[in-house]
Amino acid sequence: MKTLHVNLPDHPYDIIVGRGYLDKAGEWVAGLWQPQKIVIITDSHVGPLYAERVKTALEANQFDVSVFTFPEGESSKVLATVELAYKYLADFGVTRSDGVIALGGGVVGDLAGFVASTYMRGIHFLQIPTSLTAQVDSSVGGKTGVNTAYAKNMVGTFTQPDGVLIDPDCLKTLGERELYEGMGEVIKCGLIADVALWEVLQGLTGEVDNLLANAETLIYHSCDVKRKVVVEDELDNGTRLYLNFGHTIGHAIEATAGYGKVMHGEGVAIGMIQITKVAENKGLVAKGLTNQIRDMVIKFHLPTGLDEWDVKQLATAMTLDKKARGAKIKTVLVPSIGQAMINEVAMSDISDWLA
């Protein structure tokens, strides 16, 4: 078991990474919360796999537990699902001294965090991420949100969890596409801040068994990158933007394709290649970097582009991105592996970065 401490001044918490720790969830929560009502928020895929195990572990530690399940997929990450969750919490008698646990992937974590941060103006919240994307990225840092018809995560809050419990063994029940999707975020972490992680990735074969065998190392390195950035810039005004490498274009791809058709990590992979290709042509990043990123993306079975590439649609979606400020949008470039920088692009020039 490994522990990372997120040393935020107003809300410090720990990230626990350990194989087999899902069955220790009750003891873990008991070390953080007094006995109370807990609603596990999960989806229709993860719930049947793990909800009963976590519920049993919590009940063994004197918690009163119920499970709210919604249909899996990005299309459920909307305010209509949040409204159903509010009703479920109210019917269960949840008060401000009770809590929510997110059990699932990034969609579950984002939605459950938003519910916990807004129900009665905020109740207790914990993350138990089960997908690689959630384990290495979305469960850490306190961003919550839901999608709208206009943009991904347009409505959301910053609310830090009281803790994050990551069991790499949960990855064994992921489909191959879902597992590889998470590698988009892992690759990003190596590129923006961790040369050692990039070297680990270079040494892997890209096959499922090899990936699973090294999952604990990949998760630890990625969480450490995110932990450091979040502590330095909790509210996403400066260096935390580095974590958005590939995301501005990636989110636009997700939104224009229709939520769920292109998975988050897939969009990020395409976005990293696209923005680096243009930056390399402009002389802003190291020569050959685009090919290095493309080769790594291919190794982990992620897409390198889209068959249908609509510059106008993508540009419009990018103008609604949360990094937009006035007439400019802040994008992220990687000058060389292990480094990142902010690159401001005028709204009128967005199409140039999609060519």
Side-chain angles (χ1 to χ4, degrees):
M1 185 269 283
K2 297 179 179 179
T3 302
L4 287 164
H5 185 58
V6 184
N7 192 26
L8 291 168
D10 296 328
H11 198 109
Y13 61 94
D14 288 333
I15 305 164
I16 307 296
V17 183
R19 294 187 184 276
Y21 265 69
L22 193 70
D23 292 320
K24 299 180 181 180
E27 300 165 34
W28 172 65
V29 177
L32 296 170
W33 292 350
Q34 296 294 317
Q36 60 191 260
K37 288 187 175 182
I38 295 175
V39 172
I40 298 170
I41 294 183
T42 188
D43 66 25
S44 56
H45 175 70
V46 175
L49 294 170
Y50 298 123
E52 193 58 35
R53 281 172 62 183
V54 175
K55 183 174 183 287
T56 298
L58 291 168
E59 289 174 339
N61 284 269
Q62 284 70 59
F63 292 103
D64 185 9
V65 188
S66 190
V67 180
F68 172 73
T69 305
F70 63 86
E72 70 168 309
E74 196 79 31
S75 59
S76 288
K77 202 173 92 170
V78 292
L79 288 169
T81 310
V82 171
E83 182 72 21
L84 293 174
Y86 289 152
K87 183 179 186 305
Y88 191 93
L89 267 63
D91 289 346
F92 188 52
V94 172
T95 68
R96 290 197 67 188
S97 60
D98 298 317
V100 159
I101 294 178
L103 177 66
V107 169
V108 171
D110 284 359
L111 186 139
F114 182 73
V115 169
S117 67
T118 52
Y119 180 82
M120 294 189 173
R121 298 191 176 90
I123 59 176
H124 304 152
F125 177 52
L126 290 167
Q127 287 265 20
I128 304 181
T130 60
S131 73
L132 185 57
T133 302
Q135 290 179 348
V136 301
D137 181 55
S138 58
S139 66
V140 178
K143 283 186 179 180
T144 79
V146 293
N147 304 328
T148 71
Y150 307 103
K152 183 178 172 71
N153 294 330
M154 178 174 268
V155 177
T157 64
F158 284 96
T159 183
Q160 300 296 338
D162 294 333
V164 181
L165 179 66
I166 299 173
D167 186 342
D169 286 344
C170 291
L171 301 179
K172 295 176 182 177
T173 56
L174 284 181
E176 283 194 13
R177 184 185 178 192
E178 288 73 23
L179 182 63
Y180 285 127
E181 182 230 346
M183 292 305 296
E185 291 288 355
V186 177
I187 292 167
K188 176 206 73 179
C189 286
L191 284 167
I192 65 170
D194 194 335
V195 174
L197 174 56
W198 185 260
E199 291 172 350
V200 169
L201 292 170
Q202 287 180 312
L204 298 183
T205 66
E207 298 310 309
V208 168
D209 289 347
N210 186 244
L211 198 162
L212 290 174
N214 290 276
E216 198 162 359
T217 297
L218 299 177
I219 293 165
Y220 182 84
H221 271 273
S222 300
C223 286
D224 196 32
V225 167
K226 186 154 192 184
R227 173 188 68 86
K228 290 173 182 176
V229 175
V230 167
V231 169
E232 187 174 334
D233 178 24
E234 182 180 0
L235 299 181
D236 206 9
N237 292 311
T239 55
R240 185 167 177 171
L241 289 172
Y242 293 166
L243 295 168
N244 291 312
F245 179 50
H247 284 59
T248 305
I249 295 174
H251 283 167
I253 290 169
E254 287 183 80
T256 57
Y259 292 122
K261 291 184 180 179
V262 176
M263 298 183 75
H264 175 68
E266 295 171 343
V268 169
I270 297 169
M272 290 190 295
I273 292 170
Q274 174 65 27
I275 202 166
T276 304
K277 178 187 73 174
V278 177
E280 188 174 336
N281 289 338
K282 291 177 179 288
L284 299 174
V285 304
K287 286 187 176 182
L289 184 60
T290 307
N291 285 335
Q292 286 182 274
I293 297 174
R294 185 182 286 110
D295 289 346
M296 190 67 78
V297 163
I298 291 170
K299 176 194 277 194
F300 292 104
H301 306 274
L302 288 161
T304 59
L306 284 179
D307 292 334
E308 296 181 7
W309 188 264
D310 190 320
V311 171
K312 186 176 180 180
Q313 273 195 334
L314 290 169
T316 300
M318 285 175 65
T319 63
L320 295 171
D321 191 277
K322 299 180 297 303
K323 276 75 72 182
R325 299 289 188 275
K328 294 183 178 180
I329 186 167
K330 291 184 177 181
T331 63
V332 181
L333 302 179
V334 170
S336 60
I337 293 170
Q339 299 179 349
M341 61 175 279
I342 303 298
N343 177 53
E344 285 195 343
V345 177
M347 293 291 189
S348 58
D349 295 334
I350 285 176
S351 295
D352 294 346
W353 290 85
L354 295 167

